[in-house]
Every structure is written in structure tokens, then in C-alpha cells.
Amino acid sequence: MKEIILDGADAGRRIDQALAARLAPDLSRGRIQALLRAGAVTIDNAIVAEPKSKLPASGTVRIVLPDAEDPLPRPQAIPLDILFEDDDIIVIDKPVGLVVHPGAGVPDGTLVNALIHHCGDSLSGIGGVKRPGIVHRLDRDTSGVMVVAKTDHAHRSLSAAFAAHGRDGALARAYVALCWGTPDRTLGVIDAPLGRSSSDRTRRAVVPASRPGARHAVTHFTVERQFGRRENGTATAALVECRLETGRTHQIRVHMAHIGHPLIGDATYGAAHATKANKLPEHARNAVEAFARQALHARHLAFHHPRTNERLSFTTEPPADMATLIDALDACENTANIS
């Protein structure tokens, strides 16, 4: 903890500026602003959270510094559902809720922590110390097949395959999603650039291709099943397979919302459609309301082994929560397989 007795010299000055001047070079202004917003700064025991706040003429400023974090991920005994493993790669079925690598607000308890425990020193440095072995990611609440590299050669080879996104035939990825409504075509392509949302930079949005930072994004979809079909050809919900031609952050979730069919349970991109559950029979409505994530599962992954060039293919079924939701929707009247 740092303590400063105010003597009037900085009275009326912004607290972030004054503290940065007094505490340089130990604490930068940006670091002080972060500490303020985290509630770690008090004046006479009252929390000051706004960096623009003005300092009084007198009082005692206390800054509580959090314990230093280990800059490197540490091994943790987190169970892994391993589909395949050899000296070069490890393929897992990632469960819902598991973050891939440490980041802001998630210092541990991640897939990387589990991999370091499982693989030992063999992962050290491959792809960077913070994300060892990671060549692609799934969202925290997206389940399904992932491959991780265990050698530098495997990392380079798999990274190249994922960078090509299957355009050269070396990689195939397919997801299965439950969406609200049903697309007006059984087969379709969503070709819409993605970028950061102008209203919330943690979200992605479809943006003009000319916007700085816009990324080319293409998703191919196939409607596999419709739930609650109506005479006019629409339906309450649908099971859709999505195949990626590009791999942008939140791509499937944003693209499906863009065409008016957001994923069931997606609080970020589909919250406005949540009331559609009211149109379902009670058992299906209850299942939707109990489903606390986006209904998305990475069902299939195929690639060439980075050393042997053998074609490897892995397919897993959706986990129990999503399977239960599918069964509940399947019990709705006028449900039909499409593909």
C-alpha cells in the first residue's frame, strides 16, 4: 500500500494527474486510472473511482496495490476430454465454461493451465509463453473439438492451415447451432465483413468493407432441422450447421444475428429475440429459459497431421445441456428434418 498526506500543493488538480506526478516512475498514469476504477484508491477511507476527481487541500490518500501476478500460466489439474494425442498434437473436446487461455479477468483455470499440467515442459514456448500450443480458439461458452500443438513444427503447420481457413482443402471445420426462426433457404452463404462495434468495443458487428479494421468474413450454413414449422414456411427455431470460410471472432454468432436468426441463448447478439421462447410449448420454453449460453458447438474438425500428413477427422455430439435443448425443441409439433 502507498500512502500520501495531502499538503494543499495539489488542491483542485485531477487525482490521476497528481498521483502520477508524485509516484512516477513506479506507477504510470494509466496504471493509476485502472486502480481508481478498481476501487483501490481512497481519500480519508472514502473510495475515489473517477480519474477526473479533484484532490482536496488536505487528507490522506491510500492506494492498495494488488499482489503481483505470476506472468506465466501455471499448471493446474483440470480434467481434459482427450480425443487423440501423440508427440505432436493433442485433440480435445472442450467443455462449456472453459476459457482457452489466461486473459483480463481470467488469470487461471483455463485450457492452457490444464495443458501445461498434462503435457509438462513439452509445451514451453510453443506459440508464446502466454498461449503455448494454441492455434485456434473457442469462446468460453462454446463447446467442441479443438487441436493443440505440442511441437514448434506442429504449431507452424497447424497455424498455416487455420490461416487458410480450409480454402486449400487442408482444414475442415463445422459447427452446429440452434437459432431463432429459420433461414429462408436450406443452404446459404453469409458474406459480410466484421469489425468492432461502434457502441461497444468488446462486441463485433457487420461493418462496411471500407471501414478501417473491417475483416473479410464468410459463413456457409445448412438448415438441418426446423422446430415448430408453420404453413407459411417459417419456424420457431432451427438446427443449423455452419462451416467457416474465415475464422473471425464471434463470426457465427454475429453472422446469424445479421440475417435475423441469432443463436438461442446468446445474450450478446440475440437478447432482443429472447421473448420468442414465449411462443413455444411449456416444456420447450422451460428448456430455453434454463439454457444459459449461446447454443453453439464445434462439432467437426479435420486436418492433416503436421508430421505424418495423415488425414485426421474428429466429430463430437453437443454436450448434455444442448442435447437436452434439442430434444425439447424436437418434441414441438411440426418438427422436421431438412437435410
Side-chain angles (χ1 to χ4, degrees):
M1 183 175 70
K2 292 184 179 293
E3 186 174 287
I4 298 172
I5 306 299
L6 299 176
D7 56 9
D10 291 316
R13 191 178 181 188
R14 279 180 54 144
I15 187 171
D16 59 341
Q17 293 176 340
L19 294 183
R22 287 194 179 218
L23 299 173
D26 294 338
L27 294 177
S28 67
R29 183 176 173 186
R31 176 66 170 145
I32 289 170
Q33 289 175 340
L35 290 168
L36 284 160
R37 296 189 177 101
V41 181
T42 62
I43 299 178
D44 292 340
N45 297 318
I47 292 176
V48 181
E50 175 52 59
K52 295 181 181 179
S53 298
K54 307 298 183 182
L55 279 176
S58 63
T60 301
V61 179
R62 292 186 176 88
I63 304 173
V64 178
L65 299 175
D67 294 335
E69 294 182 358
D70 188 343
L72 303 179
R74 59 190 178 91
Q76 290 178 291
I78 300 170
L80 294 173
D81 185 355
I82 299 173
L83 306 176
F84 175 88
E85 183 177 12
D86 63 11
D87 291 339
D88 303 282
I89 61 174
I90 179 170
V91 181
I92 68 159
D93 188 5
K94 188 188 88 67
V96 174
L98 183 63
V99 175
V100 170
H101 56 73
V106 188
D108 55 19
T110 71
L111 173 60
V112 162
N113 298 104
L115 289 168
I116 293 173
H117 179 271
H118 178 78
C119 300
D121 294 336
S122 63
L123 279 183
S124 180
I126 300 170
V129 294
K130 290 283 190 175
R131 305 178 185 183
I134 302 301
V135 294
H136 69 122
R137 292 181 296 172
L138 296 176
D139 293 342
R140 177 204 293 262
D141 290 331
T142 298
S143 55
V145 186
M146 282 189 65
V147 59
V148 175
K150 295 174 67 176
T151 67
D152 286 321
H153 172 74
H155 192 274
R156 290 192 298 269
S157 176
L158 291 170
S159 293
F162 277 91
H165 299 296
R167 290 187 292 271
D168 57 2
L171 181 78
R173 282 188 291 174
Y175 294 69
V176 63
L178 285 165
C179 69
W180 287 116
T182 184
D184 56 9
R185 293 164 291 162
T186 301
L187 300 173
V189 179
I190 307 169
D191 186 344
L194 299 182
R196 291 188 182 276
S197 169
S198 57
S199 59
D200 182 348
R201 294 186 62 80
T202 65
R203 297 178 50 170
R204 298 301 189 270
V206 170
V207 300
S210 58
R211 177 187 289 187
R215 306 290 299 278
H216 177 59
V218 179
T219 302
H220 300 259
F221 68 82
T222 302
V223 179
E224 294 187 344
R225 200 178 305 172
Q226 294 177 339
F227 307 104
R229 296 178 70 184
R230 308 181 186 93
E231 293 183 359
N232 62 2
T234 62
T236 302
L239 183 69
V240 180
E241 181 187 76
C242 295
R243 291 183 175 266
L244 298 179
E245 187 174 315
T246 58
R248 310 304 180 198
T249 300
H250 298 176
Q251 178 173 317
I252 292 173
R253 298 165 63 189
V254 178
H255 270 175
M256 292 304 295
H258 176 64
I259 64 171
H261 302 289
L263 304 193
I264 292 175
D266 193 337
T268 301
Y269 301 106
H273 289 69
T275 56
K276 290 184 179 294
N278 296 331
K279 299 179 181 180
L280 295 169
E282 183 178 3
H283 69 284
R285 183 174 66 252
N286 291 340
V288 169
E289 292 174 349
F291 195 78
R293 66 176 180 99
Q294 67 266 7
L296 183 62
H297 173 71
R299 181 167 66 182
H300 177 73
L301 178 64
F303 55 92
H304 293 290
H305 191 283
R307 179 170 49 84
T308 68
N309 205 39
E310 177 188 359
R311 185 69 171 175
L312 301 177
S313 181
F314 303 93
T315 300
T316 64
E317 295 305 313
D321 65 339
M322 191 167 170
T324 297
L325 180 57
I326 292 172
D327 288 344
L329 292 171
D330 213 18
C332 295
E333 293 184 6
N334 300 320
T335 292
N337 292 321
I338 304 301
S339 59

